[in-house]
Amino acid sequence: MNLKNIIKINKNLKNSLFLQVLYVTEFYFLWLNPAVHDVKIKYRKSILGPWWNVIANIIFVILLSLIWGQILNLPIRDYIIHIYVGLIVWAYLNDIVISSVTLLTGKFSNYYKNSYIPLLSINLRNVLSAFISFIHNLPIIIIFMILNSNEIHNFFLFFIGLIFLFFHSIWLSLILTAFGTRYTDVRPLVISLMSIGTLVTPIMWKKDMLGKYSELVYLNPFTHIIDIIRDPIISNSFNGYLILTNFIILVIGFLIASIILKYKGHRIVFWI
Amino acid sequence: MALIKLNNVEVSFNADFSKSIRKRFFDKSKFKKIVALNNINLEINESERVGIVGDNGSGKTTFLKTIARIYEPIKGSVQVEGKVSSLIDIAMGLDEEANGYENIYLIAWQNLMPTKYIDKNINKIIKFTELNDSLYRSVKTYSSGMKLRLASSIFINLEPEIFICDEFFSVGDSNFKKKFEKKIKDIIKKSGIFILASHNINDIFIFCNRKITLSKGKIINDERI
């Protein structure tokens, strides 16, 4: 598709997620290059850059595992992997959620108010820069998988989990950007919900600990998102159920984002 | 070929817009509508340099944003053919933490220019800015005049077919204005369209060959100059 055709279809660009997907695919450098630029600028004056987060996570998880593993009488090695993966995925999702609600009222306010660009491009830029920081944890996870004697198909399943995580962040970011721009109260509300989410999502505890109520954790969509990453690292069995539930969450998420854009996409610029 | 066509365009805002959930769902008082552009019918063809004048609040910026497709009209239709480059706010898209050189790439990407194109034209843009060594300093240390030089040098060198500017010439010095004027003429020679909104009538006479006067969101005068 050339530029002229893109301009022609631009008529409903702000109201159509599908057209926005075509647009950001054609003009990938509109979000991909700026996302890499954002990461470089963010860590420019830092010696270790995003590796600081990795080091902080390792120290935090080791200390937490030693204390809680002892209290709960759990095997330390399993517990370290459980907490580390849960924590980094949660921290990433938390970053996406909090940054998305203020995306258009903060950093990108002037840019969005004065440029003809699809909302999706800004969300992709935000999500990708957070994702680049997140994947700095990859070497630690690979070490865990090697230590855990994971089979090769687990590496493949883990990779699928990463893809799901990336796409979940996009719909989440789109929806929260729209609501966060429209209503001032959304930001404090979301921050409170994420604090509660830290406790009710199996990050530091295991769902088996809930006994007969263990299945209730699956009412929380974040459990599915974290587990699709964590399961292939911890267990050697294939869990098709998680792929199915993640796929359903993904479809519902994009459907909601698409409905919001269809009816309110062209008004978002007036809300800033 | 560049073309802009507006038919019965109306753009309006909610005067009592509130971001409060309580006001949105529980306050039943009627919203007051402000019509920023009212029944605009207009055609701008290739090689035209249009100056938009009017008092504060007459709808100049809304008019530019509607042509740039940033605002969607609630009534009527807007037809824009050609690659639009809009310099409505000099700070738009500039990353204050990055240096001038990095910002050239950033703004060009944001205006749909691939890296290959920027690599090919970067020296031309650098020369146009006349920022020399300052280009490698963080943009947050720039004066507003330097930011203007940087932003406008990038936009003007992106080879737009339709170039839209909001009143920003007040911070530019006379040498830069002359250089800018020459570049605008080059764009027009290539069958482009230039639109400038300004309070400064001298700028309109220097840069434009058509003057449109807006008042309360309506076109009250449209003349060749």
Side-chain angles (χ1 to χ4, degrees), chain A residues 16 47 108 136 208:
Chain A
S16 164
I47 302 167
F108 296 108
H136 279 80
D208 311 341

Side-chain angles (χ1 to χ4, degrees), chain A residues 37 44 125 182 270-271, chain B residues 13 18-19 95 102 110:
Chain A
H37 161 94
R44 169 164 288 171
R125 179 173 168 180
R182 179 64 184 85
F270 295 107
W271 298 341
Chain B
F13 311 103
S18 165
K19 290 193 171 196
D95 184 344
E102 289 163 330
Q110 289 170 357

